[in-house]
Amino acid sequence: MPRTLPTTEDLRTRARAALDHVGVTLDDPAGDVLHARTPLTGENLFPVAATTPAAAEEALAAAHQAFLAWRSTPAPQRGELVRRLGELLREHQEDLADLVTIEAGKIRSEALGEVQEMIDICDFAVGLSRQLYGRTIASERPGHRLAETWHPLGVVGVISAFNFPCAVWSWNTAVALACGDTVVWKPSELTPLISLACARLLERAAEDVGAPDGVHRLLIGDRAVGERLVDDPRVALVSATGSTRMGREVGPRVAARFGRSLLELGGNNAAIVTPSADLDLAVRGIVFAAAGTAGQRCTTLRRLIAHRDIADTLVARLTAAYARLPVGDPFDEATLVGPLISSAALDRMQEAVARAQAEGGKVLAGGGRRLADVAPDAAYVEPVVVRVGAQTGVVREETFAPILYVLTYDTLEEAIALHNDVPQGLSSSIFTRDQAEAELFLSAEGSDCGIANVNIGTSGAEIGGAFGGEKETGGGRESGSDAWRAYMRSATNTVNYSGRLALAQNVNFL
Ligand code: NAD
C-alpha cells in the first residue's frame, strides 16, 4: 500500500508548471480571493482572484454582445472554434490531467480519461456543427411547405460541480458553441485552477480562429456568483450540475423568470445481480462503479440488489476485492482510490455509515481512515460495504462517498421495485445472462433511470449517448445524441407558395 504522499510544495510546483504550459499566469490577487486547495494533502495551494460583481456584469454583457455576432456565424465555421479547442486539449492532456488530480484527487487514468472526454465531445460537436437538422413536415394545405428551423438560443450559463471539474464544462460548452450560443461558466469553487486552464485554452482557440472575444467567460467564486447567472434574464439557459439541493434552489428561480434550465443533479444508482450473472465480470464492474473515483461520481454505484441465492458468494468476493484496494496518492500508478474532496465529506460518510448501522445495517468491509498521520487535513478512506436488511432512510439518500449498501431479493419484480423506490433516477444496471431479465430491466416496466445498462456498472458513460437522469436527478440531458436541442430554439415555418390564402382546418374568413 502506498504510504507516502507528495508534499503541498511539490503539488504547487506541478500545478504552476501545468498552468504555465497552457498560458495561465497566477498574479498575486488583490481584493476578494478564494483559495485553490488540494485534497491530496488537504492544504491550500494558491490564492485566486474571485470575480467581482462589476467583472461578472462585464462578462455577461460581453457574452451577450458576442452572441449577437456568433448566432449569425455559419455553424460549420463555429465548429472550427471547437475543432481548435479540441486540438489544444489534446496538446495539453497531461497538464490538464495533472490539475484534475491535484484539485479533485482523481487517480491518473481517471484524470486523463476526464480530459479525453473533453477531446471526444469536441470531435462530436465539430461533426454536429454540420448536422443541426430540422425536419420538413407534410402540410395539410396545397402549395404550402411546413418546416422546423433550429436557431441559437443565447447566453448559456454553466454551473459545474467539483467532481467532474472540466468534462461537464466541455459537454456544455463544445455543444453550445457549435449551436451558436455563447457561454459564461461558474465552476465549482473547489476547482478554480483547472477552470482557469480550460478557459485560457478556449480563449487561445478563439484568438486562433478569429472568433468574437466574448464567446466564453469565466466567473470564479462561490454560489453567490452562480446566482448571478440564475437570475440574469440575458442568460437564456442555465445548465447546472451539482447536488439536488442546488437544483432545488436553481430550478424554480430560473423558471420564475421563464428562463430555461438543464439540471444534472444527484444520483443513487443501483445494480441488480441475478443468479445467472457472470460473477467474475460483475465483481469487477461493481468494484469500479462503487469504489472508483472514491465514490465521488454522480453515477457511482451506491446500492447493490443481489439475488438471495448468490448474495453471500457475491458479497464474499466483493469484500475480498475491497480488502486489496490500494488507497492513497492518486499520482501513484498503483493507487485505485484517491482522497475524498474534504474532511467534511469524510464526516458525512462516517455519519451515513453510523446511521446505516443504527438502522440495522452491518459493515462488512472498509471504513478505516488511511494516511491520517502523514496528512491530517486530507481524507483518505477505505471504501465501505454495508449489508442492509431493507432500503431504510439513509440508503435512499445520496452520500457522496464510497459506501455500497447491499440488499437481497427473491423475484426480479421485487428487485426492480426496490431499484426504483428512491427519489433519484440517474444510472442503473443489471448483471445477467438471461435475455428476458435484461429486456425486462430495459423496458418501460424496468429501470426508471436516464441510464440503464446490462453487464456493465453504473458509471463511466460515453459521450455519444445523451447523459442525464429522472426524478430528483433533474431531467436534463447533456452530451451526445440529440441533447443539442436544449441549446437551441426551434421555429416552425409555414411557407405559402400557392398564390392563394388557404386557412388551416378549412377555416373561412373574408
Ligand atoms: P454542489 O451542489 O455543492 O455545487 C455545484 C455547483 O453549484 C457549484 O459550482 C456551486 O458553487 C454551485 N451552487 C450551489 N448552490 C447554488 C445556488 N443556490 N445557486 C447557484 N449556484 C449554486 O455540488 P458538488 O458538491 O460540487 O458536487 C457533487 C454533487 O453533484 C453530487 O450530488 C453529484 O451527484 C452531483 N453531480 C451530478 C452530475 C450529473 O450529471 N447528474 C454530475 C456531477 C456531479
Side-chain angles (χ1 to χ4, degrees):
M1 294 286 171
R3 288 289 309 148
T4 56
L5 291 172
T7 65
T8 303
E9 199 45 49
D10 293 340
L11 296 168
R12 267 190 208 111
T13 306
R14 197 158 176 167
R16 216 182 266 287
L19 290 167
D20 193 45
H21 295 160
V22 299
V24 174
T25 316
L26 283 181
D27 302 320
D28 275 343
D32 282 351
V33 295
L34 61 84
H35 287 278
R37 181 186 160 278
T38 178
L40 275 63
T41 61
E43 289 171 356
N44 286 346
L45 294 167
F46 313 107
V48 176
T51 305
T52 61
E57 172 52 35
E58 185 281 328
L60 282 158
H64 184 252
Q65 198 58 38
F67 170 69
L68 301 179
W70 193 238
R71 65 181 173 183
S72 304
T73 305
Q77 276 185 38
R78 301 193 300 245
E80 287 302 297
L81 170 61
V82 180
R83 185 183 55 74
R84 182 67 191 129
L85 173 63
E87 286 169 359
L88 290 171
L89 294 172
R90 275 190 172 82
E91 202 178 300
H92 292 288
Q93 185 163 13
E94 301 269 337
D95 295 319
L96 297 169
D98 276 1
L99 293 171
V100 170
T101 297
I102 290 169
E103 278 190 310
K106 291 195 183 187
I107 61 168
R108 190 73 186 149
S109 69
E110 292 194 55
L112 285 165
E114 174 155 4
V115 183
Q116 187 60 46
E117 252 186 78
M118 297 208 281
I119 295 166
D120 294 344
I121 195 72
C122 285
D123 287 352
F124 179 92
V126 173
L128 180 69
S129 72
R130 290 182 184 270
Q131 297 175 80
L132 301 169
Y133 302 136
R135 281 176 288 219
T136 302
I137 300 144
S139 169
E140 66 191 47
R141 287 168 284 186
H144 284 63
R145 186 167 64 80
L146 190 56
E148 154 194 296
T149 314
W150 288 88
H151 294 300
L153 194 59
V155 178
V156 175
V158 176
I159 296 172
S160 57
F162 80 84
N163 67 317
F164 271 93
C166 51
V168 165
W169 166 75
S170 70
W171 293 356
N172 283 283
T173 302
V175 171
L177 291 173
C179 288
D181 303 324
T182 58
V183 175
V184 181
W185 179 26
K186 207 304 278 178
S188 167
E189 49 275 52
L190 302 176
T191 54
L193 302 182
I194 182 72
S195 317
L196 286 164
C198 292
R200 178 68 191 123
L201 290 179
L202 180 47
E203 188 180 49
R204 282 173 54 190
E207 284 162 12
D208 291 349
V209 303
D213 153 73
V215 286
H216 184 257
R217 282 287 193 272
L218 175 67
L219 307 181
I220 296 281
D222 60 12
R223 71 169 70 173
V225 182
E227 284 169 5
R228 290 192 65 92
L229 295 179
V230 170
D231 293 333
D232 195 301
R234 285 168 295 188
V235 179
L237 169 68
V238 176
S239 175
T241 299
S243 57
T244 295
R245 176 206 57 74
M246 178 275 285
R248 236 186 260 291
E249 290 165 14
V250 167
R253 274 171 76 161
V254 178
R257 62 171 176 85
F258 296 99
R260 285 198 201 175
S261 56
L262 194 168
L263 300 176
E264 298 279 357
L265 311 175
N268 188 357
N269 317 293
I272 296 173
V273 185
T274 77
S276 73
D278 172 344
L279 288 191
D280 288 340
L281 184 144
V283 167
R284 293 187 61 209
I286 291 165
V287 175
F288 171 66
T293 332
Q296 300 171 114
R297 286 195 190 216
C298 51
T299 50
T300 289
L301 178 62
R302 308 200 180 279
R303 297 175 296 134
L304 182 63
I305 305 171
H307 191 275
R308 198 172 301 279
D309 291 350
I310 47 110
D312 289 343
T313 313
L314 179 62
V315 164
R317 293 183 62 173
L318 281 174
T319 51
Y322 267 57
R324 292 192 303 271
L325 277 176
V327 180
D329 172 13
F331 276 118
D332 185 328
E333 296 289 336
T335 297
L336 295 180
V337 181
L340 292 182
I341 191 69
S342 61
S343 7
L346 177 61
D347 292 346
R348 287 192 289 271
M349 174 175 175
Q350 287 171 338
E351 278 162 27
V353 171
R355 265 180 74 197
Q357 287 172 306
E359 291 172 12
K362 189 163 177 274
V363 174
L364 303 180
R369 193 167 168 196
R370 296 271 186 86
L371 296 164
D373 49 341
V374 191
D377 296 322
Y380 292 86
V381 66
E382 297 160 2
V384 180
V385 178
V386 189
R387 191 133 180 194
V388 290
Q391 196 149 260
T392 56
V394 73
V395 182
R396 300 178 79 254
E397 291 171 17
E398 178 195 55
T399 301
F400 214 56
I403 307 173
L404 180 65
Y405 300 110
V406 183
L407 294 143
T408 48
Y409 76 91
D410 292 304
T411 66
L412 187 56
E413 288 68 22
E414 182 197 341
I416 291 173
L418 266 177
H419 175 279
N420 291 346
D421 186 24
V422 292
Q424 312 81 357
L426 180 52
S427 186
S428 60
S429 73
I430 188 167
F431 288 90
T432 180
R433 281 187 284 208
D434 179 326
Q435 191 181 355
E437 288 181 336
E439 293 294 342
L440 181 67
F441 182 73
L442 299 180
S443 77
E445 296 168 57
S447 160
D448 62 0
C449 291
I451 298 170
N453 299 334
V454 177
N455 290 331
I456 191 155
T458 50
S459 65
E462 298 180 19
I463 61 96
F467 183 94
E470 301 302 324
K471 303 192 290 186
E472 289 191 2
T473 304
R477 291 294 183 276
E478 279 178 4
S479 193
S481 186
D482 63 353
W484 62 270
R485 289 167 188 248
Y487 300 82
M488 300 196 85
R489 63 183 175 87
S490 74
T492 300
N493 311 132
T494 308
V495 180
N496 173 10
Y497 58 91
S498 70
R500 293 188 312 113
L501 190 68
L503 300 181
Q505 297 90 39
N506 296 320
V507 170
N508 286 316
F509 199 87
L510 279 182

